[in-house]
Structure formats: structure tokens, C-alpha cells
Amino acid sequence: DWASGGSFTTYPQSQCNAPTQLFTDPESATVVNIAWVEATPTPSNGYVYCYSTVNDPFSANAITGTTTDTFAVLNNLTPNTTYYFWVKSICGNTQTDWASGGSFTTQMLSAESFSLKNLKLYPNPVKDILNLSFDKEITTVSIYNLLGQEVITKSVNSNETLINVAGLTAGNYLIKVT
């Protein structure tokens, strides 16, 4: 015969699931987009993302951010460097474990193959205004310090442009002309 053991109550299972299918989309040597497939159900408070040069989301140099989108843009990355990234869902006061996106390596700063003889940059050295001209349309000009960090970017859409560099500290810089 069965004996009564009393009753018990179960709580509804938390429907906070981690995102899936994490991936990257490199933009440049210093910018990478990370993205993922939305968790089901959609987390009520979005996502936390984390990236680091160390394969540990809890490392001291890990950088974190939050978003309600299913992507994040990672800026000011170091060229030719391997990064690891993770994403987790935020559901009210509950967070999932980190979902690993693996690693990616940023591109190297490099010059595209075009004729440098038609590119004019002057004066060099420059004090305040840098003049650029090219025989084809320039769409973007980016200036990088020697650490590979982008310090100036300008949309141009012309064959020539002027860039105010008065705010930069004295030193050597690399320029990317697209």
C-alpha cells in the first residue's frame, strides 16, 4: 500500500537561455563585430559581452559591455592580435553562464596595392593641416598611432581633402587611405 509523503511545490523553470552560434565579422585591423543568434525566449534585459587577449572572461584585462542587440562592435583593438570573446543572457536578476565565441585574430595594418606615386601628402612634417590628394576618389582617411590605435578617421568622397591634426601629439603616424 502507498503511504502519503505529503506534498511539495516546484518553481517554474527559469527560461533564461544563453545565445548560440557566436561569430565574428572583421571590419579592419582595429574593429571587429561580434554577433550571435538570439536566445529563445528573448532575454528580458539583453546580453553581456566580454572580450580579452586572455582565454578567460574573468581575467583582469577583460573588457565587458551590454547590449539589447544581437551584436556588438569592438573598437580600438590592437592589430594582429588574438582575442577571445563570450556572451551571456540577462533575464531580470538571472544571468546565464558565458557562451564562448572562441577566438579571432585582428588583421595587420597594411597598404593596399595602388600606385603611391599618385598619392600626395603634404607638408611633412605637418603642424596643423595635412593635405591629401589622389588620382582616384578617396572615400576614407584614417590615421593610426604607432600602437595601431586609430586616432583620426574622416569620410571624404573626393580626390582631395584637408585633415586637421593640430590635436595630435608630436610623433610618427601611419595613414590609411581608402
Side-chain angles (χ1 to χ4, degrees):
D1 291 336
W2 290 97
S4 174
S7 65
F8 59 91
T9 304
T10 60
Y11 293 100
Q13 181 180 358
S14 168
Q15 289 295 314
C16 191
N17 298 311
T20 59
Q21 300 178 31
L22 284 67
F23 61 96
T24 61
D25 179 23
E27 287 284 318
S28 71
T30 59
V31 178
V32 170
N33 298 319
I34 59 171
W36 50 91
V37 173
E38 185 171 62
T40 304
T42 302
S44 58
N45 297 84
Y47 303 93
V48 178
Y49 61 90
C50 175
Y51 62 101
S52 174
T53 56
V54 178
N55 191 6
D56 179 2
F58 305 105
S59 69
N61 70 343
I63 299 170
T64 60
T66 59
T67 182
T68 55
D69 294 316
T70 56
F71 68 91
V73 180
L74 310 182
N75 293 298
N76 299 318
L77 301 175
T78 304
N80 198 31
T81 302
T82 299
Y83 289 88
Y84 302 86
F85 74 103
W86 304 266
V87 180
K88 62 182 172 178
S89 297
I90 312 169
C91 308
N93 294 328
T94 303
Q95 293 184 6
T96 64
D97 291 333
W98 289 111
S100 174
S103 66
F104 62 88
T105 301
T106 52
Q107 302 168 9
M108 292 181 64
L109 286 178
S110 64
E112 295 295 323
S113 57
F114 65 88
S115 176
L116 286 176
K117 68 181 180 179
N118 297 327
L119 178 65
K120 295 180 177 57
L121 287 121
Y122 61 93
N124 190 9
V126 60
K127 183 175 181 181
D128 295 319
I129 303 296
L130 176 65
N131 298 282
L132 277 98
S133 65
F134 192 54
D135 63 341
K136 296 182 175 80
E137 183 180 70
I138 300 169
T139 56
T140 308
V141 175
S142 299
I143 298 177
Y144 298 86
N145 63 22
L146 293 183
L147 297 174
Q149 298 165 321
E150 187 176 67
V151 294
I152 293 176
T153 187
K154 180 180 180 182
S155 294
V156 179
N157 299 321
S158 175
N159 288 31
E160 55 188 45
T161 188
L162 305 174
I163 299 179
N164 185 345
V165 295
L168 297 179
T169 57
N172 294 311
Y173 294 87
L174 303 171
I175 189 163
K176 177 182 173 184
V177 178
T178 307

